[in-house]
Amino acid sequence: MNIVILGVPGAGKGTQAKMLSERLKIPHISTGDIFRNAIKEGTELGKTAADHIEQGKLVPDDVTFGIVKGRIGEKDCKNGFLLDGFPRTMIQAEMLDSLLGETGRKVDIALNIDVPDAEVIDRISGRLVCPSCGANYHKKSNPPLEGGICRECSARVLQRKDDFYETVVKRIETYHLQTKPLISHYSDKGVIVTVNGTGDITGIHDRIMSEVRGHTR
Ligand code: ADP
Ligand code: ADP
Ligand code: ZN
């Protein structure tokens, strides 16, 4: 099954994608994580990505698509994948449709995690991430261990450089302008599944699982 996850920054895409990927046994591909790794490693991709990410802007479509195309061409994606944070523009969605179409595949489910803007501002300003394993935390609702230690791998968690208030507001604006139109794109194709993304994390996961099961029946 090929799934893409849509949602405003902070909607819980990463959190839910990790759980869903384990449940469905398909790889979780986060373009944000790929860019952050490239930045950490200081590669050319990392330099290009950092210039855009730190200003709250999207990384150019051709660069982003090139990365995704390479990744979903790998063996482990043969039986499906979970794209978290891609596509984010209409052009990316069209490039993905035509790439999958070449091999008779398609996006089976576009999962839209719905959370109001006001709530995501609070979530993102409290977000902490593990630089080592990518686990996600929140200062209040989902804290790491005492002293900011990752529960998965014991590394020290950090605040992301693009999670400061001004950048967050800019990213939400970018979402409304460039990403939100994808909801009707996938709705026209009959693959949109919208889930209420507020409330506790396991409750949301359960709602997603029952929608995914219902959709594949
Ligand atoms: P996204 O990938 O959509 O940007 P994340 O999964 O990184 O979102 O979640 C953003 C922040 O909100 C993280 O700090 C995460 O721990 C927290 N979070 C995720 N789901 C919920 C929820 N249901 N309620 C409260 N906080 C949440
Ligand atoms: P969030 O969902 O919290 O905004 P992500 O980790 O998905 O965070 O993305 C972080 C940043 O990486 C984005 O603000 C954007 O600059 C860049 N990025 C991620 N995915 C894409 C994409 N599909 N197209 C362009 N830029 C992207
Ligand atoms: Zn960790």
Side-chain angles (χ1 to χ4, degrees):
M1 190 169 356
N2 305 322
I3 303 179
V4 302
I5 305 190
L6 309 173
V8 70
K13 298 183 296 297
T15 304
Q16 295 298 330
K18 281 202 179 65
M19 300 167 82
L20 202 54
S21 151
E22 280 171 27
R23 262 312 253 287
L24 301 175
K25 300 196 167 49
I26 50 176
H28 167 207
I29 303 165
S30 156
T31 40
D33 284 349
I34 293 172
F35 292 143
R36 281 186 289 279
N37 280 332
I39 293 171
K40 203 161 65 182
E41 284 163 12
T43 61
E44 277 308 308
L45 170 68
K47 283 175 201 144
T48 308
D51 285 344
H52 294 85
I53 293 176
E54 284 167 21
Q55 293 178 57
K57 292 186 190 156
L58 295 179
V59 177
D61 287 332
D62 54 340
V63 175
T64 309
F65 180 69
I67 299 297
V68 170
K69 184 178 177 181
R71 182 63 189 86
I72 64 182
E74 286 176 33
K75 263 202 200 124
D76 64 339
C77 293
K78 272 231 166 72
N79 296 321
F81 51 79
L82 189 54
L83 277 172
D84 159 13
F86 183 94
R88 257 178 151 102
T89 65
M90 200 59 106
I91 291 172
Q92 291 179 10
E94 282 161 0
M95 291 199 280
L96 179 65
D97 289 343
S98 72
L99 174 69
L100 294 174
E102 283 170 15
T103 51
R105 294 182 292 171
K106 64 179 181 68
V107 169
D108 299 302
I109 296 178
L111 179 65
N112 174 35
I113 304 183
D114 191 29
V115 177
D117 290 358
E119 178 159 346
V120 299
I121 291 180
D122 178 61
R123 285 190 190 182
I124 299 182
S125 44
R127 169 158 59 191
L128 296 167
V129 290
C130 174
S132 174
C133 75
N136 247 317
Y137 299 94
H138 188 274
K139 286 175 193 166
K140 281 181 258 167
S141 66
N142 178 26
L145 298 176
E146 186 77 37
I149 301 300
C150 177
R151 277 183 254 133
E152 307 288 330
C153 78
S154 301
R156 188 174 298 272
V157 303
L158 302 167
Q159 181 169 33
R160 270 167 47 174
K161 265 193 180 168
D162 60 339
D163 277 352
F164 297 106
Y165 186 77
E166 287 78 12
T167 327
V168 171
V169 171
K170 174 93 190 139
R171 283 159 59 206
I172 292 175
E173 230 174 74
T174 303
Y175 166 81
H176 284 285
L177 283 171
Q178 297 193 264
T179 311
K180 215 173 175 188
L182 300 189
I183 297 175
S184 44
H185 173 81
Y186 288 115
S187 172
D188 290 346
K189 293 179 181 295
V191 297
I192 198 84
V193 167
T194 297
V195 170
N196 173 2
T198 62
D200 74 284
I201 290 172
T202 52
I204 298 164
H205 173 69
D206 292 344
R207 290 202 283 278
I208 292 174
M209 278 310 295
S210 81
E211 287 286 350
V212 167
R213 286 202 189 98
H215 204 86
T216 50
R217 230 173 253 136

